[in-house]
Amino acid sequence: METGLTHLHNLLRYAIVIFLIINVVKSFLGWFGKKEYAAGDNKLSLFLFISAHLQLVVGFVLYSVSDVVKTATSDMGAAMKDTVLRFWAVEHMLSMIVGIVIITLGRIMAKKAKTDSTKFRRQAIYFTLAMVIIFAAIPWPWADMGIAREWF
Ligand code: HEM
């Protein structure tokens, strides 16, 4: 089960990365280009919101079955001194939760905004912040030994 979940979690990563980049670029273009906030813009932010929340659920299930998390949580004191165990048990999870909360706030704030320019501006700011946090916590292939994971 862990392998299937990890594959799903990995796949959802690409959905989030792609939707984050598209949303950020389109929000800045809309903001500075004084464009109209169209139904398509709302859909794009909805796709980002759905994939992020799906990832949150899959992440929690994975967290409860992951061998590396089990090793870490069996002795949290020791795990906090180990960069790899600390990453999987604490840093990855917390950063991603914060990133997903910011995506959620960004969508809510954009929906509440009265003008198209404010919608784009709020999305641009919140989604950029979420992107920085999420990208920093992804175990990219070039990350430190033990944390790095393959592309697929
Ligand atoms: C935007 C949200 C997230 C992204 C982009 C993301 C990305 C990733 C990626 C790329 C991997 C490596 C998959 C592989 O080995 O192929 C991974 C592993 C993992 N993630 Fe996430 N993740 C996110 C959120 C979360 C959350 C919220 C949790 C926990 C609540 C979580 C828990 C885990 C665990 C436990 C592993 C696997 C550790 C192991 O190897 O056993 N992730 N994540």
Side-chain angles (χ1 to χ4, degrees):
M1 177 166 116
E2 195 185 336
T3 317
L5 273 175
T6 310
H7 283 315
L8 178 63
H9 196 65
N10 191 15
L11 224 90
L12 276 169
R13 169 251 301 250
Y14 289 107
I16 294 169
V17 164
I18 290 166
F19 285 133
L20 265 175
I21 293 172
I22 298 175
N23 268 287
V24 166
V25 171
K26 285 211 76 181
S27 300
F28 275 105
L29 288 177
W31 178 14
F32 291 113
K34 300 191 181 353
K35 294 199 169 113
E36 182 195 340
Y37 190 91
D41 295 303
N42 181 43
K43 257 190 203 138
L44 272 176
S45 119
L46 179 67
F47 291 152
L48 172 63
F49 176 85
I50 293 172
S51 44
H53 281 258
L54 217 59
Q55 183 73 308
L56 185 66
V57 175
V58 176
F60 272 114
V61 180
L62 192 55
Y63 194 89
S64 68
V65 296
S66 158
D67 286 336
V68 68
V69 173
K70 274 185 196 142
T71 308
T73 48
S74 67
D75 184 352
M76 272 310 259
M80 294 308 279
K81 294 192 192 95
D82 182 306
T83 49
V84 174
L85 294 179
R86 193 177 60 233
F87 176 81
W88 289 115
V90 183
E91 292 165 1
H92 179 76
M93 173 195 55
L94 282 184
S95 310
M96 294 314 193
I97 291 173
V98 171
I100 295 167
V101 167
I102 296 172
I103 287 175
T104 309
L105 287 176
R107 182 164 163 76
I108 293 170
M109 296 300 283
K111 269 184 138 341
K112 280 190 175 166
K114 298 237 171 0
T115 65
D116 290 355
S117 157
T118 315
K119 283 182 192 290
F120 280 127
R121 177 165 48 82
R122 288 185 177 171
Q123 280 197 180
I125 294 167
Y126 280 88
F127 292 167
T128 301
L129 187 60
M131 188 166 76
V132 170
I133 294 169
I134 289 173
F135 278 32
I138 288 180
W140 300 107
W142 54 81
D144 290 347
M145 281 273 287
I147 290 171
R149 294 290 168 87
E150 293 302 321
W151 291 107
F152 296 102

